Structure formats: C-alpha cells, structure tokens
Amino acid sequence: AGYAAIMLRSVILAAARSQKVERLVETAPVSRDVVKRFVAGSGTGEALDATRQLADAGLCITLDNLGEDTLTADQANATKQAYLELLAALGQAGLTAPKEGGGGVTVATAEVSLKLSALGQAFDEQLAEKNAREICEAAAALGTTVTLDMEDHTTTDSTLDILSRLRRDHPGTGAVLQAYLRRTEGDCRELATAGSRVRLCKGAYKEPEHVAYQAPLEVDKSYVRCMNILMAGEGYPMLATHDPRLIAIAQDRARWFDRSPDEFEFQMLYGIRPEEQTRLARAGHTVRVYVPYGTEWYGYLMRRLAERPANLAFFGRALISK
Ligand code: FDA
C-alpha cells in the first residue's frame, strides 16, 4: 500500500506539470465545486470574507495569492500589486494588527504568504527580491508579517538567501522548511534563533531520492527531528501539518520545552480538517489557516490531490456526479 501511494503521488505530481492535463481539469464543469473546497475565491473581496469568517472563529490567517512559475516582469508586477491591494484591504478591515503576547515575534491575525516564483525568481532573482521587499514594507507598515513559501529544491538556496536579506530590515519575515529534504535538519538549526519565524511542513513537490526522503515514515521521522530542534530553539515554530500524530507530538514537546501557546503555532490549509482547526484554537492554541485565493489554482489543487487519495476520490465523485 505504501508503494502504491508513492506511485499515485508521483503520477499526480507529474500531471501537475502537464499543460494538457491542466487544460482538461480547468475546463471540466465540476472543477468549480472542487476548487471551492480548497480555494477561498478569486478576488480580494472573497479572500477578505473568508478571512473575516476565520478570524471570527478565533483563528489566525495567512493569505496566498495563487500563482507560481511567473515568466514575465509584468506578471510578477501584477502579483505584487495583488498583494499590496490585499494588504491594504486587510489593514482597512482591522485584521493586520499584532496580537498580544507573541513570545517576542509579531503574531498578527492575518498575514500573507508569498511564492518567490510568482514574483519572478525563475528569470530574475533581484526582481523577485525587490518585489518581495515592497510587500514586506507594506506589511510592516500595517503591523503584520510575510512568510516566504518554499517551492521545489532547486530554489531552496535562493529562497533562503533572499529571506536572510529581507530579514535584516524585516526580522519578522517567516521561512518555510520542508521535512522531506535531507538538508532540512541543518537549516532548522541555522534558523532556530531569537525572533525567527519558521514554518515546518512535510513538503509538497516531487523530489529526487538524493535530496529528499521518499518513504512517508522517513519524512515523518525527519519532521519530528526538525520539530525537536525548532521547539528546543529560540525562534517561533509554526507547525504546518494535519497529521494527528505530529500534532500530538508537538503538544508533548511544547510541555517538555515549556513553551506557552503564544510561543509557537499550528498551521493548516483552508478546507482541510476545519473542525480540528477550531478544536485546537478552543483548546488555547494559536492556529493559523493558510487561505489561497485567485484564479491560478491548478498547481495548488494538484498538490492537495497528490497528498491524499481521499481528496482524489472526492474529485472523482464530483466528476461522476455531474
Ligand atoms: P499528510 O498529507 O501526510 O497527512 C497526514 C495525516 O493527516 C493523514 O493520514 C490524515 O490522518 C490527516 N489528514 C490529512 N488530510 C486530511 C483531510 N483532508 N481530512 C482528514 N484528515 C486528513 N509545502 C511546501 O512544499 N511548501 C510550502 O511552503 C508549504 N506551505 C504550507 C503551509 C501550510 C499552512 C500547510 C498546512 C502546508 C503547507 N505545505 C507546503 C504543504 C505540506 O508540505 C504538505 O504537503 C501538506 O501539509 C500535507 O502534509 P500533512 O503534514 O498534512 O500530512
């Protein structure tokens, strides 16, 4: 079963890179319903509505304007503008103010997550950095933060370099580390310093054996080793997972390292285990929901399908019932 799951994941992740499959899925009549479950809408207004609802339920939010693999400076600029517009709207709605506590870092109700590839990283790293910096400045002016999503392993060094330069002026800028990469324990050690926000996730891309653990158990064990480093360190761990075993281990480590609920947070994706999100928040934890919105949902949706055969079955059922 483990092998079949690994195969299925790599077939779906390969489809995620295929333009033919992309056209097929995007034009399927069912796509809207399926997309709705994982994506909060296409524009700033809908993203704001979803954010308000989550905030009212006691959750924190990080918003992602969907899009990746940008190929032109104009596209990158449009993505940057979308973020600036979103931040202004969040600020006006009073959703960006930092909360009390925060264990030495800024913990705002709503912040944003960026993909550097959407800001031009693939063809002009300096442009991507300049765009990201403008977004960080706008976020800081409103009292909130930015987290740089992590993409495939060919971009890790570039993303961490840009992060360290952004952090000189905006120390609250968050990093994402992926437990499936063999290098990540080392990166956790580097980044587990005071004031450093680090999101730890399993990792969502198809990666070769020489850089990434392939077996789910190996990835989980790496996640626990990385979590131990972050929870023992001086930074602010953001534990991004829906995995009940890892969540239980995180709660155990918080007790062990004497971290109060404002000294780390859980993060989950919009539409995935929503009842668990509110349960943890009611139990006193900080829980941040990653809310993607926008029209370019294809790559994001395919990664969610690759993670979980049940999501695929949901997609299949929706297709058949149309
Ligand atoms: P996994 O998918 O292995 O699931 C483990 C268990 O969780 C399942 O066995 C089940 O018990 C439970 N579960 C999962 N989905 C469920 C569902 N729909 N219903 C019920 N139970 C379910 N990746 C990346 O490469 N770069 C990034 O920047 C980010 N950013 C990011 C932010 C946030 C907030 C999250 C939550 C995730 C990411 N990711 C990411 C994605 C991440 O790498 C990973 O692919 C997914 O989170 C899925 O991994 P899980 O840890 O949830 O475990």
Side-chain angles (χ1 to χ4, degrees):
Y3 182 69
I6 292 170
M7 282 306 292
L8 183 60
R9 179 171 180 272
S10 61
V11 168
I12 299 169
L13 288 177
R17 317 286 318 173
S18 152
Q19 293 193 339
K20 257 194 209 150
V21 181
E22 175 167 357
R23 273 195 302 277
L24 195 76
V25 173
E26 279 181 350
T27 51
V30 59
S31 294
R32 281 211 74 76
D33 299 351
V34 181
V35 173
K36 250 198 194 146
R37 183 181 150 194
F38 298 108
V39 175
S42 55
T44 305
E46 288 166 297
L48 203 63
D49 290 345
T51 304
R52 268 205 202 91
Q53 259 180 28
L54 293 164
D56 287 347
L59 298 160
C60 293
I61 299 96
T62 185
L63 285 132
D64 165 39
N65 181 271
L66 287 168
E68 47 201 276
D69 302 334
T70 290
L71 296 173
T72 67
D74 282 351
Q75 268 178 307
N77 191 44
T79 301
K80 179 189 72 188
Q81 291 302 341
Y83 272 102
L84 297 179
E85 181 187 311
L86 173 71
L87 280 165
L90 289 170
Q92 238 167 22
L95 289 161
T96 51
K99 303 207 310 176
E100 293 282 307
V105 304
T106 301
V107 179
T109 300
E111 64 137 27
V112 297
S113 286
L114 303 179
K115 284 192 173 45
L116 287 175
S117 73
L119 297 174
Q121 187 182 30
F123 61 91
D124 186 345
E125 282 184 31
Q126 280 181 345
L127 175 72
E129 180 169 341
K130 184 172 155 287
N131 284 333
R133 184 173 294 276
E134 267 186 66
I135 297 169
C136 287
E137 276 158 15
L142 293 165
T144 187
T145 50
V146 170
T147 297
L148 300 186
D149 281 355
M150 192 58 86
E151 302 178 66
D152 75 74
H153 80 277
T154 62
T155 65
T156 310
D157 282 324
S158 157
T159 299
L160 291 179
D161 286 349
I162 293 175
L163 175 89
S164 76
R165 286 194 293 273
L166 292 174
R167 285 198 60 205
R168 281 182 211 147
D169 297 321
H170 303 289
T173 310
V176 177
L177 296 176
Q178 299 153 316
Y180 64 10
L181 293 185
R182 298 176 193 274
R183 61 178 282 170
T184 293
E185 267 182 84
D187 290 331
C188 285
R189 263 183 218 106
E190 295 266 307
L191 287 174
T193 53
S196 166
R197 298 167 64 247
V198 181
R199 174 194 301 160
L200 179 66
C201 63
K202 288 191 186 181
Y205 296 80
K206 180 169 160 51
E207 298 290 14
E209 163 95 49
H210 70 278
V211 298
Y213 301 110
Q214 306 290 314
L217 182 62
E218 287 304 312
V219 178
D220 291 357
K221 287 200 292 197
S222 170
Y223 194 106
V224 174
R225 291 193 300 272
C226 293
M227 171 159 64
N228 288 343
I229 296 166
L230 296 177
M231 294 294 269
E234 291 179 50
Y236 180 82
M238 305 187 281
L239 304 171
T241 182
H242 313 95
D243 193 326
R245 283 203 303 177
L246 295 177
I247 292 167
I249 294 171
Q251 289 174 313
D252 174 74
R253 296 304 186 269
R255 281 189 292 274
W256 181 259
F257 292 112
D258 206 18
R259 274 185 182 263
S260 61
D262 65 355
E263 291 173 318
F264 73 104
E265 68 187 42
F266 287 112
Q267 297 192 342
M268 292 191 205
L269 301 174
Y270 182 74
I272 301 190
R273 303 198 72 201
E275 25 357 270
E276 178 67 1
Q277 298 171 6
T278 41
R279 190 190 71 80
L280 286 168
R282 284 203 191 109
H285 288 294
T286 305
V287 179
R288 189 175 302 279
V289 183
Y290 183 104
V291 178
Y293 75 100
T295 51
E296 289 187 44
W297 43 260
Y298 180 76
Y300 179 85
L301 183 72
M302 292 306 267
R303 287 193 297 278
R304 301 293 79 80
L305 294 181
E307 270 148 26
R308 200 171 145 76
N311 288 346
L312 195 65
F314 173 80
F315 188 61
R317 268 200 306 279
L319 269 175
I320 291 162
S321 65
K322 284 276 149 171

